Amino acid sequence: MDRAVRGEPDAMAALLGNVQPGVIKYCRARLGKTGGAFTTADDVSQEVCVALLKALPRYRHQGVPFSAFVYGIAARKVTDAQRAAMKLAVPAAEATFERPDAAPGPEQQAVSADQAKLLNQLLDHLPETQREIVVLRVAVGLSADEVGSVLNMTSVAVRVAQSRALAKLRNLAAGIFDEPMERRAV
Amino acid sequence: MTIDNDDALLDALGRGEPAPEGDVVANLLAAWQSEISDIDPAVLRPATPTAPQPRRRNRSAADIADLRQSPGPLDPVGNELEPEQTAEPDATADPGRRAAGGSRRTAPGATVRPPGAGGPQRGPRRGPRPLIVAIAAALLAFGGVAGASATAEPGSPLWPIAKLVWSDKADSKVAEKEAQRLLGEARQALADNRAQVAIDLVGSAGKAIARVTTPAMKQRLQEEADEILAQALKLGGVTLPQPGQTGQPTIAPPPGQTLAPSTGASPTPSKTGLLPPILPSILPTLLPSLPLLG
C-alpha cells in the first residue's frame, strides 16, 4: 500500500488489480444493466479506477480506511453518472410522454422480471444507507466490519441495519408474490 | 438470533454461496450477486493486440435513458466519509426506480448462475480498454513522480524512483557524487600539506570520474582533478598514480618538475582550482533532454 501511494508502478498495478473486481461489482449493483449489458456500469468502474489512481497520493493524509477511500470514490462517480444521465436525458424522456407507450406496464413488467431485475426494484425501496449496506455486503462481498468502515458506522449498527433491510425486502417480496397481479405495484 | 442469522446469510451470499431453499429474498440476492459477479475476463485483462478494438467513447442515448431511471441524486457514500446516523428505518425514503432496461437474467427459480453462463454482453469487444485506461492512469500518476525524480539527488525521497527510471543516469550521478567527495577530501589534504594523500585521493576520484557519463560534468571533474594534482606536485615528495588509475592520461614527469597535467578533455587547467567544487546539482547537466512521462 505504501509503495503504491508513493507511486511505484508495480505496486499500483497490484493495488488496482485487487480493487478493480470490487469496484466493477459495486458499479454494476448501483447502476444495473443498460441496454441489456453492464457496459455503462463497467465504463463508470473504469472512471473510478482512474480517479482512484489519481487520488492515491492523497490517501495517507485522509486518515480513513482504504476500503472507505475506494468506495467513497466509487459512490461519487456513480452519483455523477446518474446525475449526468438525468441531465442529458430530459428531452428524450419528455418525448416519450407524447405518445402511448406500447411497452408492458409496471405490473406486467414486474411479473415478467427475472430475479436480479426484481431485486433491483426492491432495493430502490430501501433507505439509502440500507441499500448501500446490501450492495457492499452482497454484491461487493465486504464483511460487516468493512462496511462499517466504509459507511463510518459501527459493525453492530451495520448488522442491525442489514437485518432491517432484509426484513423490509422480505415484506416487499411477500407483497409482490402474494398479491393478485392486478394490485401488484413495485 | 435474527441479526446473527441475517449476518451469516449475507456473508454467505457475499461469498457467492447458494441461497437456502425457501428464502425468496435470499434467492433473489443470490441471483443478483451471481449476475454482477459474472465479470468477463476481458474487462479485467487485456486482449491480444490483434483483437478488434472498437470502443465506445460516449454513452449512447439508450444508455443515458436507462440510467435516468435510476433514483435521483444520491450520494450515500460520498457523505459517509463524515459521521452519520446508523440506520434508517424509514421505508418511504428513496422511492426511485432503478435500471430497468432490457435485462436478460437468470430464470426464476435458479439460485446461482454458473460463471460463463451469462447473457450476451459487450465485454469482449471492449477488451483492451481496461489495460489502456489502467496504463494511462498509472502513467499519469507515475509520470509526475518519475518526472520529479529526474532531478533527484542521492539521499532524496525520490532517489529510489530515479534509480528505477533513470538507471543509467543514476549510476552516473552516484559516480559524480563519489568523485566530488574524493576531490573535496583531496583539496583538504592539499590544504594540510599532505600532497601524497591528495594524489592518492585524486587517483581514486579518477575511477569515479570515468563512470560519469555527462560530458560537461565529466570535463569539469577532470579539470578539477588535474588542478589538484598539479598543486600536489608543486608541493613535491609525492609518487604519481599508476597509469589508468585516474581514468585519464597520467602525468609523466617526476616530482619536483613543474608541469601541466595532460588532460585530453581539458587542454587548459581550470582557473577555479582553489574554490570549492561547484555542486553539480545546480548545473543543468543531468537529464536535460529526457522527456517527462505523462
Side-chain angles (χ1 to χ4, degrees), chain A residues 26 30 75 79 128-129 131-132, chain B residues 74-80 84:
Chain A
Y26 177 85
R30 287 288 308 273
T79 302
E128 288 182 12
T129 301
R131 186 193 61 199
E132 197 71 10
Chain B
L74 304 173
D75 194 3
V77 178
N79 296 326
E80 284 148 5
E84 67 167 17

Side-chain angles (χ1 to χ4, degrees), chain B residues 111-130:
Chain B
T111 54
V112 177
R113 186 173 55 181
Q121 296 191 12
R122 281 172 280 181
R125 70 179 181 82
R126 303 175 60 248
R129 179 176 184 136

Side-chain angles (χ1 to χ4, degrees), chain B residues 204-256:
Chain B
S204 299
K207 296 176 183 176
I209 292 173
R211 301 200 308 271
V212 175
T213 59
T214 308
M217 178 55 62
K218 190 183 187 87
Q219 179 175 345
R220 177 181 295 273
L221 291 170
Q222 283 179 339
E223 290 176 356
E224 188 176 356
D226 290 345
E227 182 181 343
I228 295 172
L229 200 57
Q231 293 180 22
L233 290 172
K234 289 179 182 176
L235 293 178
V238 298
T239 302
L240 289 176
Q242 295 302 310
Q245 195 171 358
T246 62
Q248 55 187 314
T250 306
I251 301 172

Side-chain angles (χ1 to χ4, degrees), chain A residues 6-9 12 16 20-21 24-26 28-40 42-47 49-50 53-54 62 64 68-69 71-73 75-76 79 81-86 88-90 92-93 109 113-144 149-154 157 159-164 166-170 173 177, chain B residues 2-4 6-11 13-15 23-33 35-40 43-45 56 58-59 61-111 113 119-123 125-126 129-131 133-134 137-138 140-142 145 160-161 164:
Chain A
R6 288 197 303 266
E8 295 185 24
M12 293 173 71
L16 190 64
Q20 190 183 22
I24 291 174
K25 292 176 187 175
Y26 177 85
R28 288 181 172 190
R30 287 288 308 273
L31 296 172
K33 285 185 173 179
T34 51
F38 286 119
T39 308
T40 302
D42 290 348
D43 282 348
V44 174
S45 73
Q46 299 294 341
E47 294 175 11
C49 290
V50 172
L53 288 176
K54 286 182 178 176
Q62 295 188 356
V64 297
F69 183 69
Y71 292 104
I73 292 174
R76 285 191 288 273
T79 302
Q82 290 174 334
R83 285 174 176 161
M86 292 181 67
L88 293 174
V90 168
Q109 286 183 2
D114 57 40
Q115 290 177 306
K117 184 175 179 180
L118 177 58
L119 184 80
N120 272 330
Q121 294 173 330
L122 294 179
L123 286 177
D124 289 336
H125 288 262
L126 294 179
E128 288 182 12
T129 301
Q130 291 183 12
R131 186 193 61 199
E132 197 71 10
I133 290 173
V134 173
V135 167
L136 292 171
R137 291 282 278 123
V138 179
V140 180
L142 297 185
S143 69
S149 297
V150 172
L151 302 182
N152 198 22
M153 300 168 61
T154 66
R159 290 184 173 91
V160 171
Q162 70 192 15
S163 277
R164 289 175 178 170
L166 283 177
K168 184 168 181 60
L169 289 175
R170 286 173 175 135
F177 289 109
Chain B
T2 302
I3 290 179
D4 291 338
D6 287 343
D7 192 44
L9 172 63
L10 292 180
D11 278 337
L13 293 174
R15 291 192 295 266
D23 189 334
V24 174
V25 168
N27 277 279
L28 292 175
L29 287 167
W32 179 64
Q33 196 273 348
E35 184 179 68
I36 286 171
S37 301
D38 185 13
I39 302 174
D40 194 309
V43 177
L44 294 170
R45 289 201 295 263
R56 272 191 343 180
N58 299 306
R59 296 186 182 93
D63 288 348
I64 291 173
D66 285 343
L67 261 182
R68 190 180 179 278
Q69 298 181 29
S70 297
L74 304 173
D75 194 3
V77 178
N79 296 326
E80 284 148 5
L81 294 176
E82 300 171 359
E84 67 167 17
Q85 74 284 4
T86 56
E88 294 180 358
D90 180 11
T92 61
D94 186 17
R97 300 161 310 223
R98 185 187 298 250
S103 300
R104 181 174 179 272
R105 312 203 180 190
T106 51
T111 54
R113 186 173 55 181
Q121 296 191 12
R122 281 172 280 181
R125 70 179 181 82
R126 303 175 60 248
R129 179 176 184 136
L131 178 68
V133 172
L140 277 174
F142 182 67
V145 178
I161 296 176
L164 178 67

